[in-house]
Amino acid sequence: MAAEPNLIRRHRLFRRFWLARAVSLIGDGAAMVALVLLVSRGEHAGTAVSLILLAESVPRFFGPLAGALADRMGVRRLLIAAELVQAAVFGTIVLARPGLAVLVPLVAVAAAASTVFAAAGRTVVPRLVDEADLMPANAWMGTAFNLQAALGPVLGGLFSAWGSAYVALAINAGSFVVSALLLTRIPALEPLRTGERRTLLGDTVEGLKFIRHHRVSRAIVLLLLLGLFFGSLDNLALVFLAEHSLHTGETGFGVLSASFGVAMVAASLWLVRAAESRSPVWVLLAGWFFTGLGLLLTAAAPVLFAAIAMQLVAGLGNGVANVGEETLLQKAVPAEVLGRVGGTLSSAAFFGSTAGYLAGGLLSPDSHARLVFVIAGGGIFLALALCGPALLSARSALAADPAEAAPHDRVPAPPTAAQPGGAS
């Protein structure tokens, strides 16, 4: 009998992890909208929204520390603890309905737990699936992340309109409980530490030193940092391009915004089937190339439909790049430091986008929207020129001896009559 090509159907352990992540992420996307709606209706609404967004963002900068924790502890235990902390936080918000002074720290605690989950979660896929399945698995994970952006906010708005913001927050708390229950069915995934036992801070510093001296890790982190610095300019300028340059109003802006996210979902779904024979290096580089090209051509779009097409190109590129980045990281980085490298990568992403938003305001996107898109696309091409050679060297190293690039200590799935790791 031929092997089942669909990894979700074939691999029971991966399916559980993917479902846990998808449920949690979609609930989180809904909760973020609900939180903003909740505080936007009270006094000092602008300050309140800013504080909530700040509380949600600041803990993300501590990814290297979260990664060190992930490399020290049993991964399953850490993932479940992170989900239960978030369930407790949102459950407390629903039941206690605290004021802003208590709400902001609670949101920060949930964001810290989410940061820990993200760092630890990055180490799971290469320990569950065969190396040949890494890119399809990461494409499935990319689909879950993209659904958070595409579906979560819609559900958050609907739940808030149907009941209240607290209904959406209660559903989010439940999603974390469901996720934790699913995670109890994956292996324990004990830490793969080697060498001297250090303090948590010492492990964090060791992880940063590893990135500094590891050419591929350094290139991936730098590419993501610069790519999101320039790519975030899209979010700043898009509304002004729609309203001032294309004269399409709020509807046009909504369609433009949605097209990027829809394309990201389509890209990850396409790679689920098409990724196995492709080099993660070329997938990463091609993804960023088309992201930059889409943003550059958006600047020249004369009408709404042309701008939508270019945003689709950029979104497809971004979705492809995310899968290539994750797969290359898992192949090139030793498993015992993968949490720290992944945590640093997450922080680089948040730092890049935050710096991009701050710098973008100086470019007057309201009156120079097309110029901002030119800078965004050109900046991404510059980032590719800086980081591309190091990434291409990784392709040669992986092709020569992929086993030496990163030992994964894969946990075999329980066999079935048809196929190892088969559906239950």
Side-chain angles (χ1 to χ4, degrees):
M1 180 184 294
E4 167 60 57
N6 189 317
L7 185 64
I8 290 286
R9 292 180 187 154
R10 168 164 48 95
H11 202 300
R12 182 167 73 246
L13 299 178
F14 176 75
R15 181 169 69 247
R16 290 167 181 163
F17 179 64
W18 184 86
L19 283 172
R21 201 67 184 118
V23 167
S24 177
L25 285 168
I26 293 171
D28 224 16
M32 200 62 235
V33 169
L35 282 170
V36 170
L37 290 173
L38 181 66
V39 300
S40 67
R41 293 165 182 166
E43 296 182 2
H44 310 294
T47 301
V49 171
S50 296
L51 287 172
I52 288 295
L53 294 177
L54 193 63
E56 212 280 330
S57 299
V58 168
R60 314 289 179 175
F61 293 102
F62 294 92
L65 193 64
L69 189 63
D71 287 334
R72 291 169 68 93
M73 296 181 61
V75 174
R76 182 183 64 189
R77 184 166 65 251
L78 196 58
L79 295 177
I80 292 172
E83 294 295 69
L84 292 179
V85 167
Q86 293 177 86
V89 165
F90 284 99
T92 299
I93 293 172
V94 172
L95 295 174
R97 307 200 173 190
L100 189 64
V102 176
L103 182 62
V104 169
L106 284 173
V107 172
V109 170
S114 177
T115 302
V116 170
F117 190 109
R122 282 193 127 116
T123 70
V124 174
V125 170
R127 296 179 67 181
L128 288 184
V129 306
D130 292 321
E131 186 165 343
D133 285 328
L134 270 181
M135 197 175 293
N138 287 317
W140 275 113
M141 297 307 298
T143 302
F145 280 101
N146 295 335
L147 285 174
Q148 179 189 32
L151 189 58
V154 175
L155 292 177
L158 289 175
F159 292 145
S160 297
W162 169 61
S164 71
Y166 289 109
V167 172
L169 296 177
I171 291 172
N172 187 39
S175 75
F176 289 121
V177 174
V178 171
S179 175
L181 289 173
L182 287 167
L183 290 169
T184 63
R185 305 297 303 279
I186 69 171
L189 302 177
E190 295 300 332
L192 300 174
R193 290 184 53 87
T194 59
E196 179 186 351
R197 185 80 177 180
R198 295 176 172 85
T199 64
L200 182 62
L201 183 60
D203 279 350
T204 303
V205 172
E206 182 189 43
L208 293 173
K209 287 181 178 178
F210 173 86
I211 294 169
R212 179 184 175 189
H213 296 291
H214 191 263
R215 191 181 186 195
V216 176
S217 298
R218 188 171 67 245
I220 294 174
V221 169
L222 182 60
L223 178 58
L224 190 63
L225 176 68
L226 294 175
L228 285 183
F229 175 84
F230 289 107
S232 64
L233 299 178
D234 175 293
N235 297 333
L236 285 176
L238 196 63
V239 62
F240 302 112
L241 179 77
E243 295 188 351
H244 298 170
S245 301
L246 301 176
H247 309 290
T248 59
E250 294 177 355
T251 302
F253 171 58
V255 174
L256 275 173
S257 298
S259 62
F260 194 99
V262 168
M264 287 186 68
V265 175
S268 54
L269 286 174
W270 170 66
L271 280 173
V272 164
R273 289 272 183 178
E276 281 190 37
S277 60
R278 287 167 171 77
S279 161
V281 175
W282 284 116
V283 169
L284 173 59
L285 293 176
W288 275 112
F289 175 84
F290 282 104
T291 301
L293 181 65
L295 296 183
L296 201 59
L297 293 179
T298 298
V303 295
L304 177 62
F305 289 114
I308 291 171
M310 295 307 100
Q311 285 289 293
L312 286 171
V313 170
L316 285 168
N318 195 239
V320 166
N322 289 342
V323 176
E325 166 199 294
E326 202 71 30
T327 306
L328 179 58
L329 198 72
Q330 293 163 357
K331 284 177 173 285
V333 175
E336 62 268 18
V337 294
L338 187 55
R340 280 165 283 180
V341 176
T344 303
L345 193 66
S346 296
S347 291
F350 277 95
F351 185 83
S353 58
T354 301
Y357 292 143
L358 292 173
L362 304 176
L363 298 174
S364 302
D366 53 336
S367 54
H368 300 97
R370 292 189 186 275
L371 175 61
V372 172
F373 275 101
V374 171
I375 293 171
I380 288 175
F381 284 131
L382 175 62
L384 279 172
L386 289 172
C387 303
L391 295 172
L392 288 172
S393 73
R395 182 172 178 265
S396 301
L398 291 173
D401 192 355
E404 291 185 2
H408 295 305
D409 188 41
R410 185 180 62 84
V411 177
T416 66
Q419 173 74 11
S424 57

